[in-house]
Amino acid sequence: MKQYLIRRLLVAVPVLILVAIGAFSLIRILPGDAVLNLVGESGLLSPSQTDKIREELGLDQSYVPAFISWVGGIFTGDLGDSLITGRTVASEITRAIPVTLQLAIMAMLITMLIAIPIGVMSAIRQDSILDYAGRLISISGLSVPDFLAGTLVLVFVGLWLKWAPPVVFTPFFDAPAENLKGMFIPAAIIGFRFSSTSMRMIRSTMLEVLREDYVRTAWAKGLRERSVITRHAMKNAFIPVITILGTEFSYLLGGAVVVESIFNLPGLGSLTLGAITARDYPVVQAAVLLFATVIVFMNLIVDLSYAWFDPRIRFTAREA
Amino acid sequence: MVTGPMQQIDPALMGGVVAKRPWRRSLPAAIGSFARRKPLGALGAGIIILLGLSAIFADLMPYGALDVHLRERLQSPSWSHPAGTDALGRDLLTRLFHGARVTLKIGFLGVLIGVSAGTVVGLVSGFFAGKIDIVLQRLVDALMAFPILILALSLASIREPSDTNTLVIIGIVLIPTTARIVRGATLKIKSNQYIDASRALGATDWRIIWRHILPNIAAPIIVVASVFLGAAIIVEATLSFLGVSGSIERPSWGAMIADPEIRRNVESNWWLVLFPGMALVMAIYSINMFGDALRDVLDPRLRGTGGGRYGS
């Protein structure tokens, strides 16, 4: 296990370095002068002001020293200031994290509530009407892009139920009920979209497990269906499902970008989108890096938990 | 009577081999059998063809996609404007047909670019293995660490919005997953004895790749391409919706759904979101149904792996 852990960590390091290079290089692969592009949209600035911006972006230095000082900034928490709001990038991001985190957790819970029962039912009643209905729901989820689902909900739920997203975001710990009123629908949209892939995965792994010898043995022992399904089949089917939920986490974050901006949630997604459209490079670099780092770590945790849950991997790793 | 080894092969076995490769049969026969086995998939393919036809003949509509008739602005669906008109009096149905052009062009070309590039990366990585494999795989890992949309948006922010730009973005976004799948398939084929045999006969690396590996991994590549077509269309529509793909003038379904008129007055302008939304969902749904059926027929092992990024 220890060796597996070390090997897995060693793979994550170069990926993180590449990710940092990628996020950092965004501003440098711009054709022309990034600062002039920026100023061209906001109005006239004096040469001394453009020089100051250039210095802040590290564009007065050559690539390698600038990269090193930027990476150094990550560890000290000094990622520069937003070009638009003037606040520090670190404060912009720390304000946005709780919103996206809450959205992600809620969406994940909704995903599991939808995907697990339907996926399991689909598998144990294969080719029944239930199965077809489940698969229909799943393909629908795959076929409706987040932005369309968001717009449709905003438009038609608004029309029929007179619901509108709150103009001002209320943090969960200030007023939980107010907060959930604004968060539930966006989370449900992401959760529904996300559940479609998970549902298919759960169905297919369940189908595979149901054909295993130990499930036949469980039936042969005379166990009731409920106990065969929950104690023998589901327990084994869910190991790959954990992996899938983890690796597909990046989808969930991507969905958050669109949904947050449609529903006025001040999370990481809308922060990034706003920064990208306003060419607020310090914020874009930091946010992109954060997203990618979260996903790299998520994959790492998933791999390790996989090894932890599945004794076969744990023991072969120990022997190796 | 001389019986060569050819005659001794069990005909049933030969039948089995042929049946596994439906594309070796005559095309109409293959299509017919596909339609019988997978009616929903065939329906999906039919709808895609219809969309293609409406894209090709969009210019035959009595209105132009950019014709402004301010007197006829925001009309609800009627005989002269079956899908209504937008805030500038442009006929929505005409714009939907032109939008099909944008969607299908960017979808197909984007997938072509991304899947070809990803196939090259995956083949090189899987076939040559060693250091080059390690380097390429870390690059693929790094690309996969960015959520698709964040990657697409950051790339979109680099240059002025244009169709070419969107094509390149979709290509880049599709590379890592394709490369992973092709690499896996290549590794599997590479361990077959006939590869060793042809190497022993003096075949070069490129000949082995071209004549032996590529034909054998064609099925997963086709399946991946069909699954990614839906993904590519979603990326294009999302970028258009967010206003970072193509010009604002250009009729694209995603951009049509972003029409500010929709939010300004929903109750009277519902058709502005309903029809482009329906067109988009219909296109993606058909592609997904067709892709699913194709996957079942060509490569049952990939079943259930979803429409998105495959797990590692």
Side-chain angles (χ1 to χ4, degrees):
Chain A
M1 187 66 196
K2 206 183 196 175
Q3 270 191 332
Y4 179 75
L5 194 110
I6 292 169
R7 216 180 323 137
R8 193 58 192 75
L9 276 172
L10 283 180
V11 173
V13 172
V15 173
L16 278 177
I17 295 173
L18 282 172
V19 160
I21 293 176
F24 177 75
S25 307
L26 269 179
I27 186 169
R28 299 206 169 225
I29 42 182
L30 282 169
D33 186 323
V35 177
L36 288 184
N37 277 346
L38 192 82
V39 175
E41 284 173 13
S42 66
L44 288 170
L45 285 182
S46 68
S48 68
Q49 281 169 306
T50 51
D51 280 349
K52 192 169 165 289
I53 295 175
R54 208 164 270 143
E55 196 191 308
E56 258 175 36
L57 291 174
L59 287 174
D60 55 336
Q61 295 167 305
S62 60
Y63 192 96
V64 178
F67 179 66
I68 291 172
S69 77
W70 183 68
V71 171
I74 297 172
F75 293 106
T76 56
D78 175 24
L79 291 158
D81 299 332
S82 159
L83 298 178
I84 307 295
T85 63
R87 282 192 287 262
T88 62
V89 173
S91 75
E92 291 277 359
I93 286 185
T94 40
R95 272 198 320 168
I97 287 177
V99 180
T100 305
L101 193 67
Q102 192 197 344
L103 192 65
I105 293 173
M106 284 174 67
M108 204 57 143
L109 287 175
I110 293 171
T111 299
M112 291 197 279
L113 279 178
I114 302 175
I116 295 177
I118 300 185
V120 171
M121 275 316 278
S122 261
I124 55 183
R125 299 276 180 271
Q126 199 189 355
D127 290 325
S128 68
I129 294 173
L130 258 171
D131 182 22
Y132 280 109
R135 282 153 77 185
L136 202 73
I137 295 173
S138 153
I139 296 196
S140 313
L142 284 176
S143 307
V144 184
D146 293 306
F147 76 89
L148 179 59
T151 310
L152 287 177
V153 167
L154 199 64
V155 165
F156 290 101
V157 173
L159 201 60
W160 293 325
L161 299 180
K162 303 284 171 238
W163 177 85
V167 183
V168 185
F169 176 76
T170 333
F172 183 72
F173 293 107
D174 290 4
E178 275 300 301
N179 166 279
L180 289 179
K181 238 187 233 171
M183 290 288 259
F184 179 74
I185 287 187
I189 291 174
I190 304 177
F192 169 66
R193 287 263 300 142
F194 196 49
S195 68
S196 52
T197 358
S198 329
M199 206 187 293
R200 295 172 138 220
M201 303 282 185
I202 292 173
R203 178 177 178 272
S204 62
T205 47
M206 268 303 273
L207 279 177
E208 234 163 74
V209 168
L210 286 174
R211 298 199 170 90
E212 293 282 349
D213 288 343
Y214 54 78
V215 171
R216 199 193 308 132
T217 310
W219 283 117
K221 280 201 302 191
L223 291 180
R224 282 169 308 154
E225 181 177 26
R226 179 207 284 234
S227 136
V228 174
I229 300 298
T230 54
R231 309 203 39 189
H232 295 260
M234 271 169 71
K235 236 181 172 177
N236 285 294
F238 279 23
I239 296 167
V241 169
I242 295 170
T243 329
I244 290 146
L245 285 178
T247 43
E248 301 258 315
F249 191 69
S250 72
Y251 260 146
L252 198 147
L253 289 179
V257 176
V258 179
V259 172
E260 276 177 14
S261 21
I262 291 179
F263 290 95
N264 298 326
L265 297 172
L268 275 178
S270 51
L271 179 72
T272 315
L273 184 60
I276 284 174
T277 39
R279 308 201 172 194
D280 190 349
Y281 295 108
V283 176
V284 176
Q285 288 178 329
V288 166
L289 181 70
L290 180 64
F291 270 118
T293 312
V294 167
I295 289 169
V296 170
F297 272 99
M298 199 68 194
N299 288 344
L300 188 68
I301 293 169
V302 163
D303 275 5
L304 296 181
S305 70
Y306 193 52
W308 184 250
F309 283 121
D310 192 340
R312 276 172 302 182
I313 296 182
R314 194 163 67 219
F315 287 114
T316 38
R318 190 179 293 170
E319 282 159 21
Chain B
M1 221 171 65
V2 183
T3 50
M6 283 309 287
Q7 272 94 351
Q8 284 168 0
I9 292 172
D10 182 358
L13 193 69
M14 291 286 284
V17 171
V18 175
K20 267 188 188 161
R21 302 181 164 211
W23 58 87
R24 283 285 163 83
R25 273 176 285 166
S26 80
L27 198 60
I31 293 173
S33 111
F34 180 79
R36 266 194 308 280
R37 284 169 65 191
K38 299 281 169 192
L40 279 180
L43 181 70
I47 293 174
I48 300 164
I49 291 169
L50 273 182
L51 281 176
L53 289 177
S54 62
I56 292 170
F57 296 110
D59 288 328
L60 295 181
M61 289 293 286
Y63 310 96
L66 302 175
D67 288 358
V68 175
H69 299 283
L70 285 177
R71 284 187 177 191
E72 298 177 3
R73 65 190 300 267
L74 293 174
Q75 286 189 353
S76 56
S78 64
W79 282 114
S80 51
H81 298 289
T85 58
D86 68 3
L88 295 174
R90 297 175 295 196
D91 180 55
L92 211 63
L93 189 66
T94 310
R95 288 175 69 73
L96 285 178
F97 285 165
H98 281 272
R101 196 175 276 188
V102 175
T103 298
L104 292 180
K105 188 183 90 182
I106 295 191
F108 276 102
L109 283 178
V111 167
L112 188 70
I113 295 173
V115 170
S116 321
T119 301
V120 171
V121 174
L123 264 175
V124 168
S125 198
F127 188 80
F128 293 106
K131 275 182 192 143
I132 193 168
D133 179 37
I134 293 174
V135 172
L136 284 176
Q137 284 313 302
R138 291 299 81 75
L139 284 172
V140 165
D141 282 346
L143 266 182
M144 283 184 100
F146 297 97
I148 289 189
L149 200 60
I150 298 280
L151 183 61
L153 277 171
S154 352
L155 292 171
S157 74
I158 295 172
R159 302 179 54 176
E160 286 303 307
S162 73
D163 282 355
T164 325
N165 206 19
T166 309
L167 275 178
V168 173
I169 292 170
I170 291 175
I172 294 178
V173 164
L174 298 183
I175 287 176
T177 320
T178 315
R180 279 249 166 119
I181 294 166
V182 170
R183 176 176 176 270
T186 307
L187 284 176
K188 208 172 271 174
I189 300 296
K190 208 176 80 172
S191 62
N192 277 327
Q193 280 193 335
Y194 56 80
I195 301 293
D196 294 334
S198 78
R199 178 152 309 179
L201 289 171
T204 60
D205 285 345
W206 295 113
R207 189 187 157 81
I208 293 175
I209 290 179
W210 189 248
R211 295 298 301 262
H212 299 287
I213 293 187
L214 208 52
N216 279 304
I217 59 172
I221 293 176
I222 293 170
V223 170
V224 164
S226 76
V227 170
F228 280 173
L229 188 55
I233 288 177
I234 291 182
V235 172
E236 191 280 326
T238 308
L239 291 180
S240 295
F241 176 80
L242 297 172
V244 290
S245 164
S247 72
I248 306 165
E249 295 278 282
R250 187 199 62 170
S252 152
W253 295 340
M256 290 163 85
I257 295 166
D259 193 334
E261 212 60 50
I262 294 172
R263 290 214 199 178
R264 200 167 297 150
N265 194 352
V266 190
E267 286 169 55
S268 52
N269 301 337
W270 50 269
W271 60 90
L272 286 178
V273 63
L274 190 69
F275 293 120
M278 267 168 53
L280 190 59
V281 171
M282 196 172 72
I284 302 167
Y285 205 105
S286 317
I287 290 165
N288 282 345
M289 280 196 304
F290 175 67
D292 250 26
L294 201 64
R295 166 166 51 198
D296 282 357
V297 171
L298 288 184
D299 200 347
R301 276 165 305 158
L302 288 172
R303 204 177 301 162
T305 36
R309 286 183 163 166
Y310 295 76
S312 46

